[in-house]
Amino acid sequence: MNTSASIIPGYTAPIPPGNVTPTQAGSVPATPTVPNTTPATTTVAAPTPPTPTPASPTVPAPKTTNTPPNNKPDNENEVIPLEKKNSKLYRIGIILLMLILASTVSIFYIRTQTQTTIAEKEVNSDPTPKASLAPTPEISSLEKNEISLEILNGTSTKGLAGKTAEKFEKLGYEIKKIGNADDAENHELHVKTEFANQLSKLLKDVKEELEIEEVTEKVDDLSSTARIILGKN
């Protein structure tokens, strides 16, 4: 049997009798050792807190849906919105309306042309003679005895107006006045406006006697039917 005492921390085993050492014999008895009943303090190391690791963002896994296999072309699976359907119907309606209008205009044009052609044929085949326009009556010329004359001398030659007046008086004209006028280079014929288209006989005579080709001037307030001014030439 093992007589050795178990070693207890802080406890001193008693010395059995007969084992006293010479030093201890006859000396002051040794103070007995009081066993240490204070429990030993066990030092426990404080646990080290774990170092926090930054959490990585969680990416949600894509949702998977059970889609049945698509064996149709893409254009068949496309759902046409109601607006697109209405737009197509609207375009079709516009095209039909334009076709109807074009047909109506074409029919109206053809009928109009046909009626015009028939009317022209009827007019051309009408045997009724067209009325001819009546000729415009000529304005009768005044007779020589209905024409009164003024004969004025526009030169420095004396008695020229009197001699000329005698000639026209013999031709049948009425001499209303004989006198002088401002200097004139050529012979002139002034006529009253209201009789301008009735002096064909006078025009013929002044051309033969004085070589006056045409009326020089028309005068509204002339006191006679015509006035002859004698010039240098």
Side-chain angles (χ1 to χ4, degrees):
M1 178 175 179
N2 187 3
T3 59
S4 62
S6 299
I7 300 174
I8 298 173
Y11 174 76
T12 303
I15 301 173
N19 291 334
V20 181
T21 60
T23 308
Q24 294 174 344
S27 61
V28 180
T31 304
T33 302
V34 179
N36 188 4
T37 59
T38 303
T41 302
T42 304
T43 304
V44 180
T48 304
T51 303
T53 303
S56 59
T58 304
V59 178
K63 297 181 180 181
T64 58
T65 56
N66 296 327
T67 303
N70 186 4
N71 296 326
K72 294 182 180 181
D74 295 336
N75 57 357
E76 291 183 7
N77 291 329
E78 182 182 1
V79 179
I80 301 175
L82 183 59
E83 292 80 2
K84 290 186 177 181
K85 290 182 180 180
N86 292 338
S87 177
K88 288 183 178 180
L89 292 176
Y90 178 78
R91 292 178 183 175
I92 293 172
I94 291 295
I95 293 172
L96 292 177
L97 180 60
M98 292 177 66
L99 290 175
I100 292 172
L101 289 176
S103 301
T104 304
V105 172
S106 299
I107 293 171
F108 179 78
Y109 177 79
I110 293 172
R111 291 184 61 184
T112 304
Q113 292 297 320
T114 304
Q115 292 176 357
T116 303
T117 304
I118 294 173
E120 289 177 354
K121 289 181 178 180
E122 291 177 355
V123 171
N124 294 331
S125 61
D126 188 3
T128 304
K130 296 181 180 179
S132 59
L133 295 177
T136 303
E138 292 185 5
I139 299 175
S140 61
S141 177
L142 294 176
E143 296 296 330
K144 294 181 180 182
N145 57 3
E146 297 175 337
I147 299 174
S148 59
L149 298 177
E150 295 179 12
I151 299 178
L152 305 177
N153 186 4
T155 69
S156 59
T157 303
K158 294 181 180 181
L160 183 60
K163 293 179 181 180
T164 305
E166 290 178 0
K167 290 180 181 179
F168 281 92
E169 189 174 16
K170 290 179 181 180
L171 293 173
Y173 296 99
E174 177 189 356
I175 305 301
K176 192 171 185 179
K177 181 180 180 181
I178 298 173
N180 295 322
D182 295 335
D183 293 343
E185 292 295 328
N186 300 307
H187 300 323
E188 297 179 5
L189 175 62
H190 300 175
V191 299
K192 196 168 186 176
T193 304
E194 61 179 300
F195 302 121
N197 296 327
Q198 297 175 278
L199 301 176
S200 59
K201 293 181 180 180
L202 176 62
L203 290 174
K204 181 180 177 182
D205 289 337
V206 294
K207 183 177 181 181
E208 292 177 355
E209 299 293 333
L210 300 174
E211 298 182 354
I212 298 175
E213 298 290 339
E214 59 186 5
V215 175
T216 307
E217 185 178 353
K218 296 178 182 180
V219 183
D220 292 333
D221 57 350
L222 194 62
S223 60
S224 60
T225 307
R227 176 190 295 156
I228 297 173
I229 299 177
L230 301 172
K232 297 177 182 179
N233 300 320

